[in-house]
Amino acid sequence: MTGRATVVTGVGLAVTGLRTAADLLSTDPVEPGAGPSPDLTGRHMRHKDRASRLALRAVEQALDDASLAAESTGREHTTLATVVSSNFGNLDSVCEFTDRIAEHSTAALSPLGLPHVSSNAIAGWIAIRHGLRGPNLTLCSGRTSGLDALVWAATLIGAGRADAAVVVGVEPDTGPVRSLHGPGRRVLDGAAAVILESEAHAANRQAIVRALIDGGCHSDSVDQVVAAIRTAARPPRLWLTPADVLPEFGSPIRVLDLTRRLGECSGALGVLQCVAAVAQLDGGDRNPVYATCSDPHGDEAVTLQLRAPHAAASVSAGSRVGNHELDLEER
């Protein structure tokens, strides 16, 4: 993926019905409207769409978790990038503006509200709120978008464009999103955030490393990932992947599909998977954890591997992002 090792030093979660990252590993049903809701109040939350408010809450937790909040010692010497993954994030703002144009013409629009319809609005609010002056971008690449965002963040760090990156996956449960998915289709209402850093930067500030990202691969199908896992010298105990494109695996590996509990996660899925993988490693798992996102037809799959920082051996993907080969053998 890059020439510099990338590590996870913080995670944050703002998902209706969940309290902690470890809750992602549970199979208990999350009933719509039940359980705790993220606190989206405060002056900095005003005049923002729901996706931006969810993302801001998750980022706040992740920065605190990584000891990279604005008041943290040494933060002023850190260049932080912002990478957001969301396919439907500010759809409600876009629909509101288009409805207003249809009813009253463009003369009814307020110039102050136009920035809200930009697909990069969420990333912009995050950077403004926390003073993040590094590269700032948003990915809207479908179901693989969350893992794509993590790969892009690692690439920015590896290229020396940033010391660390705030990676956010967010999808809101709003009227326009529900209408787009159709009646009876459950959708995620929440955000997940991950702090990535170069290994050297984390060591210099004596940060607690929660996980190492060992590789990112694009493959033509989930079948290629299945074949690689079957022959891996050190197979995972946990594989995070949507089950609707997964063939029968027939092994003791636990396959966890977050969409079964949370609904359609779209662009947030990959970042949620990363947070769940960190929770698994926090629990003492020494084996790598795999996260895979794929399109609904299974024509493309993106896979990341995460491992505990103190694991005895490194597990690395043999191909770089963009190749169509997968080699997950232990080195």
Side-chain angles (χ1 to χ4, degrees):
M1 180 162 47
T2 65
R4 304 166 69 190
T6 307
V7 300
V8 179
T9 56
V11 297
L13 194 66
V15 176
T16 299
L18 302 181
R19 290 182 173 85
T20 67
D23 290 342
L24 289 169
L25 301 175
S26 172
T27 56
D28 294 337
V30 179
E31 298 297 334
S37 296
D39 178 11
L40 304 181
T41 61
R43 291 184 60 185
H44 65 285
M45 295 288 188
R46 295 176 185 174
H47 312 301
K48 296 178 178 64
D49 57 78
R50 183 168 182 82
S52 294
R53 288 182 282 137
L54 287 165
L56 284 166
R57 185 61 69 208
V59 168
E60 183 180 86
Q61 294 179 16
L63 288 171
D64 285 343
D65 192 34
S67 298
L68 272 175
E71 64 276 7
S72 300
T73 303
R75 162 70 185 273
E76 64 274 12
H77 303 300
T78 299
T79 301
L80 275 157
T82 308
V83 184
V84 170
S85 169
S86 186
N87 294 311
F88 309 109
N90 63 338
L91 182 62
D92 49 347
S93 298
V94 174
C95 289
E96 179 184 349
F97 264 62
T98 54
D99 289 346
R100 194 175 302 169
I101 292 172
E103 293 175 12
H104 306 290
S105 84
T106 56
L109 298 179
S110 167
L112 296 177
L114 284 174
H116 292 268
V117 302
S118 167
S119 60
N120 206 46
I122 301 169
W125 286 125
I126 293 170
I128 292 169
R129 169 64 180 168
H130 296 285
L132 311 183
R133 303 183 185 277
N136 184 294
L137 63 151
T138 298
L139 280 77
C140 313
S141 52
R143 212 183 210 184
T144 65
S145 184
L147 292 185
D148 289 336
L150 289 160
V151 171
W152 270 98
T155 301
L156 289 171
I157 293 169
R161 294 289 305 280
D163 302 309
V166 177
V167 186
V168 186
V170 57
E171 299 292 358
D173 182 4
T174 61
V177 174
R178 287 194 297 272
S179 297
L180 188 65
H181 284 290
R185 183 78 177 272
R186 188 178 176 190
V187 295
L188 173 76
D189 184 47
V194 174
I195 306 300
L196 300 186
E197 300 184 52
S198 68
E199 194 170 27
H201 184 267
N204 285 340
R205 68 182 194 89
Q206 299 181 333
I208 297 174
V209 174
R210 310 284 288 283
L212 279 75
I213 296 182
D214 260 342
C217 294
H218 278 84
S219 53
D220 293 329
S221 69
V222 177
D223 291 340
Q224 292 183 2
V225 186
V226 171
I229 290 177
R230 287 185 188 280
T231 58
R234 195 175 194 181
R237 293 190 180 94
L238 176 65
W239 183 17
L240 297 146
T241 185
D244 59 349
V245 294
L246 185 67
E248 186 66 30
F249 198 70
S251 82
I253 298 172
R254 181 189 181 194
V255 176
L256 182 59
D257 179 4
L258 297 180
T259 66
R260 288 188 172 180
R261 296 180 65 221
L262 303 177
E264 175 56 51
C265 298
S266 193
L269 180 58
V271 187
L272 284 164
Q273 289 175 334
C274 185
V275 173
V278 171
Q280 175 79 3
L281 297 172
D282 282 348
D285 193 350
R286 301 296 186 270
N287 286 42
V289 179
Y290 292 10
T292 299
C293 289
S294 59
D295 65 53
H297 305 291
D299 296 331
E300 179 190 14
V302 179
T303 299
L304 283 186
Q305 298 173 69
L306 296 94
R307 67 176 178 87
H310 47 271
S314 173
V315 180
S316 181
S319 60
R320 295 182 179 179
V321 174
N323 290 351
H324 298 285
E325 301 175 359
L326 218 64
D327 178 12
L328 307 180
E329 291 291 338
E330 186 178 16
R331 291 190 298 182

